[in-house]
Amino acid sequence: MAQVWITVREHARLTTAETEDNLDRARISPSAFDWLCKLQASQGKQGARLIEVENRRWLRLDNHVGVIQTPCGTGIEILPKHHGQENDVEMSRKLLCKLIASALDLPSRETNAADLQLFKSPLAEWVMRQFLLALDHLLKRGLRFDYLRVEEEKSFLRGQLDMAKQMRQPPGRQHLFHLRHDLFLPDRPENRLLRLALNKVCQAAQEANNWRLAHELAGFIHEIPPSRDVRQDFASWRTDRLMAHYQAVRPWCELILGQQMPLAVKGATQGVSLLFPMEKLFEQHVAKVLRRQLLNGAHLRTQAASRYLCQHNGQGIFQLRPDLLIETAQKSWVLDTKWKRINDADRDKKYGLSQSDFYQMLAYGQQYLDGQGDMVLIYPRSTEFANPLPLFKYSDELRLHVWPFDLENDELMASGDTILPLKKSDPKQAAA
């Protein structure tokens, strides 16, 4: 089945009617349209909202990014909406690849690989490429073997004789021996998962170099059986010193097999479908960058959950979970990330800020800072929001800062001398 790729960005609209395709609007086949509607319905009320239907003719995507491959052969690549009206697909794809690599906590050697900068195929092909390169490096280092206990019935002696079973041997089969022995085989949980992921890549790869490398690697591990229990095999994945060279390939294996945490859709098609909530990718990347820049004695916690909005019958109710909480021995700071475009010149419309976000920050300030201190709302830097906004005051003691985060240079653009316990930013070091 020929694969048809459509590239759009967050909040784009999809339709089956005739339309001029661009990053915010595209035409898809009726079968793909119906399948997406069923996909959303399958998520249930508690699942992530991936799309919404408009007038039965349009689908509006939500803020998830990644790729969806439908059974009819339609591939939809959803990129971040970060560069305004600029139709720079390669820049958006590069940003998404960078955020995914950051979320997977990959070493800088892999994050800065040349193909991350130059790969121009859809995101799914990039993910498969990273998996194949990591698996190729692993095979050159050598697979780990393990002893596998085998119990069988043979006409010759080998290994250990199972006396209990042998004594119960019925007449006519007394010439056969019940044996127990160990075989040194590559059949272990880690290798079974790699074989299953490679099988999926062999079926899904469309890019020529990926297809060639996948089938080349398949020849080296064809004797290993694929995993039959993915969850259990991942739980059995060892992380000791002898398995250290397996760690680089694991996150890509988890992505392809649908076990990685940020995924919202997994295993729904024969291809590789990956959807990430964009606000989570942004939050995790900001946390990773700031953690590297903390001064000695400062600590950063993500999703702190130690305070409640109020007490009821002696127990806390309505848990408060700020995205980031920086603490030192003397002081704390609350930070919250928002994946939203705001405009620092539009004072009449309150810069595009949300009143509910300000209520939320007020609750954080009262409970985590006891009503005294500084808080920060962090938005992605864009052409409309290139500089920090003027200070917001809840009171003389409780203040809120709204700062942009430069995703290209990995820099939090604070106003003047930053109030946070951070080292002076070095764009070259941050990008490393």
Side-chain angles (χ1 to χ4, degrees):
M1 181 184 298
Q3 186 79 28
V4 178
W5 279 102
I6 297 171
T7 299
V8 292
R9 58 185 180 181
E10 297 173 84
H11 307 291
R13 302 171 73 214
L14 306 176
T15 183
T16 57
E18 290 286 347
T19 184
E20 182 180 352
D21 290 353
N22 55 45
L23 288 180
D24 294 315
R25 183 175 62 245
R27 182 186 182 186
I28 58 176
S29 66
S31 57
F33 189 96
D34 294 339
W35 184 84
L36 288 173
C37 291
K38 293 178 182 178
L39 175 64
Q40 178 58 55
S42 68
Q43 296 296 307
K45 294 182 179 180
Q46 302 301 321
R49 191 184 72 168
L50 308 178
I51 57 174
E52 59 178 283
V53 182
E54 293 184 352
N55 302 325
R56 299 185 179 182
R57 296 184 59 191
W58 290 87
L59 295 178
R60 180 181 292 277
L61 298 173
D62 208 283
N63 63 337
H64 285 73
V65 292
V67 291
I68 306 175
Q69 292 182 260
T70 69
C72 67
T74 299
I76 304 173
E77 181 183 27
I78 309 170
L79 301 176
K81 190 174 183 178
H82 178 54
H83 297 285
Q85 301 302 319
E86 303 174 17
N87 294 331
D88 195 334
V89 173
E90 292 181 24
M91 186 178 295
S92 297
R93 186 177 292 142
K94 175 183 173 181
L95 172 62
L96 180 54
C97 292
K98 173 183 175 179
L99 294 179
I100 292 175
S102 177
L104 296 177
D105 198 22
L106 297 175
S108 59
R109 173 180 57 84
E110 297 175 45
T111 305
N112 294 330
D115 57 342
L116 188 151
Q117 308 291 339
L118 303 176
F119 204 70
K120 298 181 180 180
S121 297
L123 176 69
E125 295 287 342
W126 177 79
V127 171
M128 289 187 283
R129 182 68 177 175
Q130 301 309 305
F131 168 73
L132 292 172
L133 292 175
L135 179 58
D136 183 41
H137 181 73
L138 169 64
L139 293 178
K140 290 176 180 177
R141 292 282 304 274
L143 289 172
R144 287 296 177 192
F145 284 56
D146 204 355
Y147 285 101
L148 179 66
R149 174 56 59 93
V150 176
E151 296 185 3
E152 55 186 354
E153 192 179 50
K154 293 292 184 180
S155 59
F156 54 86
L157 282 173
R158 180 186 182 185
Q160 182 182 10
L161 182 65
D162 190 337
M163 293 300 298
K165 291 184 178 180
Q166 190 66 34
M167 293 177 64
R168 294 195 297 268
Q169 191 78 306
R173 299 185 61 85
Q174 294 177 348
H175 64 290
L176 299 176
F177 301 98
H178 284 277
L179 307 175
R180 289 196 301 252
H181 60 92
D182 294 328
L183 296 177
F184 195 52
L185 300 172
D187 184 7
R188 55 182 299 154
E190 301 88 350
N191 294 337
R192 291 195 296 266
L193 290 168
L194 295 177
R195 170 64 190 279
L196 181 62
L198 184 58
N199 287 351
K200 191 168 185 179
V201 171
C202 287
Q203 296 174 0
Q206 299 289 323
E207 202 268 334
N209 290 331
N210 283 354
W211 187 93
R212 178 193 55 78
L213 181 56
H215 286 78
E216 179 182 323
L217 297 178
F220 291 105
I221 62 174
H222 70 279
E223 295 182 352
I224 302 174
S227 174
R228 295 184 178 181
D229 189 340
V230 173
R231 187 178 298 274
Q232 180 58 42
D233 281 347
F234 270 118
S236 303
W237 188 300
R238 289 171 51 186
T239 58
D240 53 59
R241 180 175 58 85
L242 294 176
M243 300 295 295
H245 64 296
Y246 271 70
Q247 298 313 306
V249 74
R250 175 168 180 167
W252 303 111
C253 185
E254 289 177 328
L255 274 181
I256 291 173
L257 296 181
Q259 297 297 307
Q260 187 63 291
M261 180 271 297
L263 265 69
V265 175
K266 51 189 179 183
T269 71
Q270 295 298 318
V272 177
S273 291
L274 309 168
L275 283 183
F276 301 82
M278 192 60 210
E279 69 274 6
K280 285 295 182 183
L281 289 180
F282 182 56
E283 172 193 329
Q284 291 180 14
H285 184 67
V286 171
K288 183 177 180 180
V289 171
L290 295 185
R291 187 175 279 115
R292 290 199 303 259
Q293 299 175 353
L294 288 176
L295 296 173
N296 293 334
H299 303 279
L300 185 147
R301 283 196 291 156
T302 59
Q303 295 294 315
S306 58
R307 300 296 178 90
Y308 293 83
L309 184 61
C310 58
Q311 298 290 318
H312 178 67
N313 289 336
Q315 294 182 341
I317 189 171
F318 302 124
Q319 192 176 64
L320 298 174
R321 300 173 64 92
D323 292 339
L324 310 173
L325 180 65
I326 297 179
E327 298 172 306
T328 63
Q330 298 80 22
K331 195 174 181 180
S332 298
W333 296 263
V334 172
L335 299 85
D336 220 45
T337 61
K338 303 294 181 183
W339 181 254
K340 180 182 177 182
R341 296 177 60 86
I342 63 175
N343 191 335
D344 57 17
D346 195 354
R347 174 63 180 83
D348 293 338
K349 294 185 178 180
K350 302 178 179 63
Y351 311 106
L353 299 169
S354 170
Q355 185 174 353
S356 60
D357 291 339
F358 272 60
Y359 282 133
Q360 184 182 50
M361 296 303 293
L362 175 60
Y364 291 159
Q366 294 297 330
Q367 296 300 328
Y368 281 91
L369 306 181
D370 296 326
Q372 297 182 353
D374 292 277
M375 303 177 292
V376 183
L377 270 175
I378 302 174
Y379 292 84
R381 183 180 184 272
S382 64
T383 54
E384 294 85 10
F385 180 45
N387 299 295
L389 294 180
L391 180 66
F392 296 87
K393 287 187 177 181
Y394 291 106
S395 66
D396 291 338
E397 293 77 24
L398 186 61
R399 299 164 294 275
L400 176 63
H401 307 260
V402 179
W403 293 344
F405 186 89
D406 187 350
L407 285 166
E408 279 70 30
N409 298 310
D410 287 347
E411 179 183 3
L412 181 60
M413 305 181 67
S415 52
D417 294 333
T418 177
I419 58 170
L420 302 177
L422 301 176
K423 303 172 185 176
K424 290 186 177 181
S425 61
D426 183 352
K428 294 183 180 178
Q429 182 180 358

